[in-house]
Amino acid sequence: MRLRALLETDALGLRLLGGEDELDRTVRGVMTTDLRDPSRYLSGGELVLTGLAWRRDADDSEPFVRILAGAGVVGLAAGEAELGAIPDDLIRACTQHRLPLFAVNESVAFATITEHVVRQVSGERAGDLAAVVDRHRRLMTSGPAGGGPEVVLDLLGSDLDLRAWVLSPTGRQIAGAGEPLAPSVAATLSGEHLGATRTGRRGPHRAVVQGTTYSLFPIRHSGRGAAPAARDVRETVLSDWLLAVEADAGDWPAARLDLLQGVTQLIAVERDRRDAARTVRRRLAQEVLELVQTGAAPAEIAARLRVAAPVLLPGLGSAPHWQVIVARVDWSQSAATTAEIAGGPVAQALLEEVLVDPAVTGSDSSDRIAVAHAGDEAIALVPLPAVGPEGSEAGLHADALLAAVQAPLSAGLADDGRLTLGVSAAVHSAEGLRGALEEARHARRVAAARPGRVCAAGHHELASHVLLLPFVPDDVRRAFTARLLDPLRDYDRRHRAELIPTLEAFLDCDGSWTRCATRLHLHVNTLRYRVGRIEQLTGRDLSRLEDKLDFFLALRMS
């Protein structure tokens, strides 16, 4: 708003005392102060209101006005309640520094002026931003993106003083203006958003993290290439982006809420573009998968891989190694609409997100990921530019994949969904892909046998007892562990003898009396007494390999 507009509102009780030639200045804010030096609280463009309590004598006026002018203040409004009339020395100082000066009638509260200015300035900013957003939307829907979501987020910050970030469902920052969110905060916000969405509540959702309030706006697919409306929220909850705004939108007027909804629609256009760019990679993965599953000749598969490699790893001089990852999202059979949810596409979109490095920002950071789906499975073909140094294991690891995304995804899966992943070893030829696919599928089944909403297993677990234990029926597991361990647990409860920890340490030390005694800080004779008591209570002999193995498995299954 212009300073001139203040004089046109009779209810403000303002009278111009000087600076008529400067009334076209733009007011961007308002501040009330009686500090002698308020410069630290000024950013420029303010109308300053003062009751003149800072003035002790005539010599105080010029330094005060000089400070305001130097800080970029556009006008000064002085109240008449304190002195009855505005002092001449203040009028002269304002004339000297070309600062428009208004007298405020003693019957008008500063709060009335403040409320009027804030309402006018906010309304104008919102209108200006809405116009920019509308222009940007037309640009993005008709041609190349004009800078992506960051442009609009910058406008939210500069014109509405709103800090905002676009986040993936796993908490990865896709876009933001200014300082990025801390990863832990972003993951918490995504989890809050997913949890609220699963309850059916409409956005924006309110979340408080580390004492800061955020409003979370869902970003739905829209514009060109948009999919039909989901019949069930579970079809999209694990793949939709969100806009996190550092503000409480609960008391926002409808106009501002509509503006933010327009921003989310604009970002959705960029999301649709990114998904369209994934089409080529998805098709490549689908073609390779079909060749592998139908038993095509290795030469045919290798030819297809040579086509895929430059797309996924541009500039790579030699054929990469490959890794296969299988994911599946399952929903509880108690849900009436479970049969209508296509699990493959849900798992595909989620796996594409999970495979992106959480430390990487940007909407196109997944350009090396090719994910297909077959039935209810999603299958990722991941190129590895080189094996690890000195023969170390290369590629992605099951535990690392889910470390940063487990919490938010668990909120989205709620109490009726599960995500399970299996990761193969790296292979260096087309001949190895079929084995890698089966390896990843077996690993996923191991993960599915574990408790928890989000589980993963890797190929290294397929060569040990870990592969067998998850498939032992629960009743057999309970009977086996109770027969061997319950007598020891009962004895420990009664005598505090620590037989169970002793047994674990003894097996972990491969039956070495000296190493086990050192680990437990015991005399060897004390250790021999405890092991003897274990054998007496269970009827087993810990010098026998078979009995050691039984105890080992019982401890792992308990």
Side-chain angles (χ1 to χ4, degrees):
M1 66 176 299
R2 306 290 184 184
L3 277 175
R4 189 180 306 281
L6 296 173
L7 294 174
E8 299 170 354
T9 306
D10 295 337
L12 300 183
L14 296 177
R15 188 173 75 260
L16 183 65
L17 299 180
E20 186 174 0
D21 295 338
E22 308 292 337
L23 292 181
D24 286 328
R25 293 182 177 183
T26 300
V27 181
R28 297 190 178 277
V30 61
M31 176 190 176
T32 299
T33 185
D34 275 310
L35 295 173
R36 296 171 67 85
D37 182 2
S39 57
R40 73 183 69 180
Y41 305 109
L42 297 169
S43 57
E46 295 93 350
L47 170 69
V48 170
L49 309 177
T50 180
L52 300 177
W54 49 266
R55 182 183 179 278
R56 299 188 183 93
D57 56 46
D59 292 336
D60 292 335
S61 292
E62 195 280 331
F64 179 78
V65 173
R66 178 171 11 101
I67 289 171
L68 297 188
V73 169
V74 297
L76 175 65
E80 295 179 324
E82 182 74 17
L83 302 178
I86 306 303
D88 291 339
D89 48 89
L90 180 60
I91 297 174
R92 288 195 298 271
C94 287
T95 300
Q96 177 185 345
H97 291 282
R98 302 179 63 84
L99 184 67
L101 175 63
F102 301 89
V104 182
N105 190 285
E106 61 181 3
S107 64
V108 178
F110 282 178
T112 301
I113 301 174
T114 299
E115 181 180 354
H116 176 83
V117 172
V118 169
R119 187 168 58 248
Q120 293 296 318
V121 170
S122 297
E124 290 177 2
R125 286 182 177 176
D128 291 344
L129 180 60
V132 173
V133 168
D134 185 60
R135 290 196 302 272
H136 201 70
R137 179 189 295 115
R138 291 197 299 271
L139 174 64
M140 293 184 68
T141 54
S142 62
E150 287 83 359
V151 173
V152 181
L153 299 186
D154 283 336
L155 289 170
L156 286 176
S158 62
D159 285 20
L160 290 185
D161 298 325
L162 293 176
R163 300 178 66 204
W165 303 265
V166 178
L167 304 177
S168 78
T170 64
R172 181 174 60 88
Q173 181 171 317
I174 294 165
E179 289 294 320
L181 280 176
S184 60
V185 173
T188 301
L189 291 176
S190 290
E192 293 278 347
H193 173 73
L194 291 173
T197 302
R198 284 304 313 276
T199 64
R201 289 193 284 127
R202 300 188 62 180
H205 310 301
R206 183 178 183 272
V208 180
V209 181
Q210 298 179 6
T212 301
T213 301
Y214 299 87
S215 295
L216 311 177
F217 295 80
I219 298 174
R220 311 292 188 195
H221 283 277
S222 63
R224 296 179 300 179
R231 295 163 296 184
D232 191 303
V233 67
R234 291 171 295 179
E235 294 184 7
T236 59
V237 66
L238 298 177
S239 59
D240 279 344
W241 291 354
L242 69 136
L243 177 67
V245 181
E246 190 180 299
D248 188 348
D251 56 355
W252 282 5
R256 178 168 286 204
L257 287 172
D258 289 345
L259 175 61
L260 266 293
Q261 294 297 343
V263 169
T264 64
Q265 292 169 12
L266 179 59
I267 297 170
V269 174
E270 186 71 9
R271 171 69 186 273
D272 293 335
R273 279 213 171 95
R274 190 214 61 162
D275 286 347
R278 282 184 171 177
T279 302
V280 173
R281 298 190 295 276
R282 287 177 172 178
R283 186 170 62 248
L284 285 172
Q286 197 75 41
E287 291 173 353
V288 173
L289 174 63
E290 289 174 359
L291 291 174
V292 170
Q293 294 192 126
T294 56
E300 187 177 359
I301 299 175
R304 181 53 55 188
L305 288 177
R306 284 194 294 272
V307 174
V311 175
L312 301 178
L313 285 173
L316 192 65
S318 59
H321 293 66
W322 300 91
Q323 198 168 15
V324 176
I325 300 176
V326 173
R328 181 176 174 128
V329 175
D330 293 293
W331 303 104
S332 171
Q333 293 298 322
S334 62
T337 58
T338 295
E340 301 177 5
I341 299 177
V346 175
Q348 180 184 42
L350 183 56
L351 185 54
E352 287 173 332
E353 174 57 37
V354 168
L355 291 178
V356 178
D357 184 345
V360 176
T361 61
S363 59
D364 58 350
S365 54
S366 58
D367 58 359
R368 297 183 177 185
I369 297 166
V371 183
H373 70 82
D376 288 332
E377 285 183 335
I379 302 168
L381 187 65
V382 181
L384 306 174
V387 296
E390 299 181 1
S392 63
E393 188 177 12
L396 301 170
H397 299 271
D399 294 339
L401 276 178
L402 297 184
V405 303
Q406 195 156 16
L409 291 184
S410 295
L413 292 162
D415 58 357
D416 62 345
R418 292 198 73 208
L419 166 66
T420 51
L421 280 83
V423 182
S424 80
V427 297
H428 58 82
S429 67
E431 290 86 346
L433 274 183
R434 185 171 302 159
L437 176 59
E438 289 307 312
E439 193 172 56
R441 282 174 167 161
H442 281 304
R444 193 207 63 79
R445 285 193 283 269
V446 170
R450 296 172 175 168
R453 290 290 163 198
V454 181
C455 297
H459 60 92
H460 60 282
E461 300 181 55
L462 304 183
S464 73
H465 63 280
V466 178
L467 174 62
L468 302 177
L469 295 185
F471 301 101
V472 177
D474 288 343
D475 54 345
V476 175
R477 182 194 301 258
R478 284 191 294 268
F480 182 72
T481 57
R483 189 181 306 119
L484 283 174
L485 302 182
D486 279 3
L488 307 182
R489 291 178 177 135
D490 292 342
Y491 192 86
D492 281 347
R493 275 194 296 270
R494 294 196 306 271
H495 302 286
R496 298 182 180 178
E498 297 187 352
L499 295 185
I500 291 290
T502 301
L503 175 62
E504 291 176 330
F506 185 72
L507 294 175
D508 194 44
C509 292
D510 299 323
S512 169
W513 297 100
T514 303
R515 283 195 290 126
C516 184
T518 301
R519 175 180 294 190
L520 295 176
H521 305 290
L522 298 174
H523 192 278
V524 171
N525 289 339
T526 303
L527 176 61
R528 290 185 184 278
Y529 171 80
R530 289 188 183 181
V531 171
R533 179 64 67 185
I534 291 171
E535 293 175 333
Q536 179 186 5
L537 291 170
T538 60
R540 298 299 186 105
D541 182 355
L542 276 169
S543 65
R544 287 166 41 87
L545 176 62
E546 294 88 343
D547 287 342
K548 287 180 181 176
L549 181 59
D550 283 349
F551 277 121
F552 175 78
L553 293 174
L555 288 169
R556 294 303 297 265
M557 287 191 292
S558 64

